[in-house]
């Protein structure tokens, strides 16, 4: 193989596929990037079995071929090269010779004959949306997936399409995050559970433009994200997602409207008094036109009040401040509506049209 | 005690004195900031015994007094408060009540009666220079102090004044860094060894303005840095500094002039091939109008050439690339002069007037 390309296009390609390079495995191929060149295009591929990424980079092909190179070393070398043309040439011993201006590198590789290519994904069922929307919806829900591998399904997110609406759901046993996105057209229904790691990785690769399209193709086993010159294929999580409808309700006894920033900043300050060893809830007293927030731990105490617009009963209720903060941080509205039933029932932060719903379980407090 | 001040002035004061808060010790006072208010000024003090810092902040004093508060908690609380007025009031139980807008915090403190104040430093002998100059000279030498506590003197830097010249020296057994700074006037001679940690901390606190003065006062045991509203007192390292004059020489067999950035970038690339377990030197072949750099390890190999202007003999010599990079990174000149005698003698990177001298020992290479 002999190819040449600019540093920026090679670096960009390496950055994209590196998300699918295993950092743990000692199986050589999982830590490698395959550079494969036909007579018409140069392709970079990485695959850690859970996730595979391939991308096409611009360049000039002198001789077709392929080689698998250590991803970290390749990344480091290219990053440190000047902004100039890079030539990669392989020899019969699977050595790669990398040249740029007056630098010459020789690094060992493997033939790539046993490299794991991306699984073929049939392109029957798909949806299309903007990269910006996908990136946003991931950011707004990803924090409430579980990191417990024993509840595998909770480590992923539900992607469900009905007509022209995409619903994304994540939950971890203490809270549920639901976002609904209006698509530009209707698609065939789908319901899949995508691993959280895949979503995090895809989110990092996306440039995030409002005008830039991304297509998601699904089969029983896999999801394919296709955008620009890049394909990302991930396994889906198998199993039935939790039935969340029965946990949602529009009934409430107490509702208040609050300035989001004031509420978030106040809860953030209260979190200073939480020690890992002694998890205290933040206590809210919701009364007429104010909410009184209080936390009291061995480190000290905090009291604060915020003006609210309230409907319904007064209520005293406790929460893990982190759960409230996580939800408030990803809501862009200036004011939020909070709905509660009693001190033991879930609290809902949601907007009028339910395009977002954040359900958070309270923490029991001494009466 | 009852005082009030703006968030920004309190935060700024906390940031300054926090450099002298011990992060390791479990002796309460070493992890605290003392807030002490006379009728005329509010003072923050921290002291971890090696290093003590005090600074005066702007504010209104309602009642004089003092309290020692956990530095980390105080820092976290103030950081998360809104940009507004902060009131700190203590009670007879050594509790501090901190109020800002509608936030109220109560945190436990101690009386501060047994707090370690800064040692008194007699102001006989001093030098004055700009904060910018001090910050620069620290940055240009601090990388070659030793982190080995068993060679205590190498963990500090020599500050030596003769007339109107300040000379700063650091060394770690493999290299020596020397910077000479022209002072605005002549001062009484001094020769002290300042702990590297103190210099790092002072450097971080300095705003670094060219117009902002800093005064350094020294006694047998201590150095006092005084600037703006802040005093930093550090113990000096005791003992005799190494006699470096006998290691310096202006004789050379090979001299070359090279573009600094090209040289640095090339050596930086070569460092990719160094593994912790298998330290290979970078090998330079200095020939007529080129320097050929080469490194060869189990990870791969690199070859590169750079144009130079050479005087004297050809030479083949090996170096630890890190030592060359550290020195080149803090030289601001576009071109540097490198002087060598043979493959076993130290190499010097220095300028015409010797305002900087970087001595680096070579690594022996197989012939």
């Amino acid at each position: 193989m002999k190819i040449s390309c600019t540093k920026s296009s090679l670096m960009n390609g390496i950055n994209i596929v590196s998300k699918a390079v295993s950092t743990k495995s000692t199986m050589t191929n999982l830590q490698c990037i395959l550079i494969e060149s036909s007579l018409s295009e140069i392709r970079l591929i990485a695959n850690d079995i859970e996730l595979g990424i391939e991308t096409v980079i611009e360049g000039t092909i002198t001789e077709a071929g392929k080689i698998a190179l250590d991803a970290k070393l390749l990344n480091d070398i290219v990053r440190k090269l000047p902004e100039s043309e890079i030539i990669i040439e392989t020899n019969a011993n699977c050595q790669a010779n990398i040249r740029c201006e007056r630098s010459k590198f020789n690094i060992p590789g493997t033939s790539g004959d046993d490299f794991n290519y991306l699984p073929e994904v049939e392109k029957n069922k798909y949806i299309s949306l903007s990269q910006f929307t996908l990136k946003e919806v991931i950011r707004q829900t990803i924090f409430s997936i579980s990191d417990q591998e024993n509840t595998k399904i909770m480590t992923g997110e539900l992607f469900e399409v009905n007509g022209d609406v995409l619903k994304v759901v994540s939950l971890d046993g203490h809270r549920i995050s639901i976002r609904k996105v209006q698509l530009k057209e209707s698609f065939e229904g789908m319901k899949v559970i995508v691993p959280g790691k895949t979503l995090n990785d895809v989110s990092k690769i996306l440039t995030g433009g409002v005008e830039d399209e991304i297509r998601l193709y699904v089969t029983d086993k896999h999801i394919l994200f296709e955008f620009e010159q890049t394909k990302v294929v991930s396994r889906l999580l198998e199993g039935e997602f939790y039935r969340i409808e029965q946990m949602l309700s529009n009934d409430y006894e107490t509702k208040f409207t609050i300035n989001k920033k004031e509420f978030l900043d106040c809860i953030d300050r209260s979190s200073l008094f939480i020690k890992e060893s002694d998890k205290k809830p933040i206590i809210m007293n919701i009364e007429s036109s104010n909410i009184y927030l209080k936390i009291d731990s061995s480190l000290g105490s905090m009291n604060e009040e915020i003006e609210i617009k309230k409907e319904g009963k007064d209520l005293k209720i406790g929460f893990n401040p982190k759960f409230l903060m996580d939800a408030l941080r990803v809501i862009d509205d200036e004011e939020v509506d909070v709905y509660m039933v009693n001190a033991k029932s879930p609290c809902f932060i949601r907007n009028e049209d339910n395009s977002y719903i954040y359900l958070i379980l309270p923490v029991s407090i001494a009466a």
Side-chain angles (χ1 to χ4, degrees), chain A:
Chain A
M1 185 185 76
K2 184 174 178 185
I3 56 168
S4 76
C5 53
T6 62
K7 175 190 168 166
S8 60
S9 95
L10 182 56
M11 196 68 246
N12 186 42
I14 291 171
N15 284 337
I16 290 172
V17 300
S18 286
K19 297 283 179 295
V21 172
S22 171
T23 48
K24 291 173 202 159
S25 168
T26 49
M27 285 172 64
T28 314
N29 269 333
L30 305 191
Q31 297 177 306
C32 283
I33 292 174
L34 183 74
I35 305 177
E36 184 180 55
S37 175
S38 65
L39 285 174
S40 58
E41 64 182 17
I42 306 167
R43 199 178 283 275
L44 305 184
I45 312 175
N47 191 347
D48 72 2
I49 305 304
E50 290 296 319
L51 185 71
I53 306 181
E54 70 173 57
T55 193
V56 173
I57 63 169
E58 298 271 325
T60 310
I61 300 153
T62 312
E63 191 187 304
K66 66 184 180 193
I67 189 164
L69 296 172
D70 182 81
K72 185 175 177 310
L73 187 60
L74 180 64
N75 189 327
D76 287 344
I77 290 174
V78 175
R79 192 162 36 80
K80 288 187 191 274
L81 285 174
E83 292 293 341
S84 190
E85 172 147 67
I86 297 175
I87 299 166
I88 303 179
E89 190 170 0
T90 58
N91 67 16
N93 301 326
C94 295
Q95 279 233 328
N97 181 251
I98 303 175
R99 297 194 294 281
C100 182
E101 292 185 356
R102 293 201 283 180
S103 296
K104 286 177 222 133
F105 297 86
N106 278 301
I107 60 171
T110 57
S111 69
D113 287 339
D114 55 351
F115 202 84
N116 298 294
Y117 285 84
L118 269 56
E120 220 27 76
V121 174
E122 270 188 54
K123 294 190 173 179
N124 296 326
K125 235 175 173 180
Y126 82 99
I127 63 164
S128 158
L129 69 170
S130 87
Q131 293 193 23
F132 176 78
T133 304
L134 181 62
K135 213 174 151 107
E136 277 294 281
V137 83
I138 294 171
R139 180 181 71 88
Q140 290 160 341
T141 52
I142 199 78
F143 59 85
S144 64
I145 61 170
S146 167
D147 53 7
Q148 304 294 315
E149 285 294 319
N150 54 355
T151 50
K152 195 77 187 175
I153 283 183
M154 286 193 192
T155 66
E157 297 202 340
L158 178 72
F159 272 61
E160 185 176 354
V161 174
N162 278 307
D164 60 356
V165 175
L166 165 68
K167 184 165 86 174
V168 177
V169 181
S170 70
L171 53 85
D172 67 1
H174 302 286
R175 49 192 170 154
I176 307 176
S177 303
I178 307 169
R179 282 272 172 174
K180 281 182 200 145
V181 173
Q182 184 68 46
L183 302 173
K184 283 200 193 108
E185 50 184 308
S186 284
F187 297 95
E188 197 183 333
M190 68 162 78
K191 195 171 177 180
V192 293
I193 309 167
V194 189
K197 184 187 170 300
T198 297
L199 294 171
N200 266 324
D201 288 337
V202 167
S203 182
K204 281 178 202 147
I205 302 171
L206 290 177
T207 51
V210 176
E211 301 295 326
D212 302 321
E213 194 203 7
I214 179 165
R215 285 180 173 223
L216 281 55
Y217 297 88
V218 299
T219 64
D220 286 354
K221 301 268 181 207
H222 292 103
I223 184 165
L224 161 63
F225 300 82
E226 202 174 76
F227 56 102
E228 288 141 20
Q229 298 300 307
T230 302
K231 286 181 189 175
V232 179
V233 177
S234 164
R235 286 205 190 156
L236 292 169
L237 294 178
E238 287 177 45
E240 189 77 23
F241 202 72
Y242 301 88
R243 292 200 199 145
I244 55 162
E245 284 69 26
Q246 61 206 40
M247 302 178 224
L248 306 179
S249 150
N250 284 326
D251 299 340
Y252 63 89
E253 298 284 327
T254 306
K255 172 190 170 185
F256 64 89
T257 305
I258 190 165
N259 178 289
K260 193 207 78 166
K261 186 173 182 319
E262 282 184 33
F263 196 29
L264 176 58
D265 288 351
C266 169
I267 299 168
D268 190 22
R269 287 190 279 273
S270 77
S271 65
L272 294 174
F273 292 98
I274 297 178
K275 278 163 92 173
E276 264 310 306
S277 52
D278 161 39
K279 288 210 172 156
K280 293 278 186 177
I282 178 164
I283 294 165
M284 300 181 185
N285 263 300
I286 303 150
E287 289 175 23
S288 53
S289 62
N290 279 295
I291 178 167
Y292 298 88
L293 294 108
K294 203 175 94 175
I295 192 160
D296 207 331
S297 82
S298 59
L299 291 172
S301 66
M302 189 195 92
N303 283 280
E304 194 160 336
E305 59 190 88
I306 305 174
E307 269 178 40
I308 55 172
K309 286 194 288 276
K310 195 196 76 163
E311 280 174 37
K313 294 186 182 164
D314 288 357
L315 180 63
K316 183 178 179 182
I317 189 168
F319 287 100
N320 177 333
K322 182 181 183 307
F323 295 164
L324 289 169
M325 284 193 286
D326 283 346
L328 291 171
R329 279 202 186 106
V330 298
I331 296 176
D332 293 327
D333 300 341
E334 206 172 307
E335 298 206 309
V336 292
D337 294 329
V338 185
Y339 299 82
M340 294 166 176
V341 176
N342 58 47
K344 303 203 164 165
S345 302
C347 143
F348 291 88
I349 305 175
R350 60 178 164 80
N351 60 355
E352 284 287 321
D353 64 357
N354 283 346
S355 72
Y356 65 78
I357 304 175
Y358 292 98
L359 176 160
I360 300 166
L361 289 180
V363 177
S364 70
I365 48 174

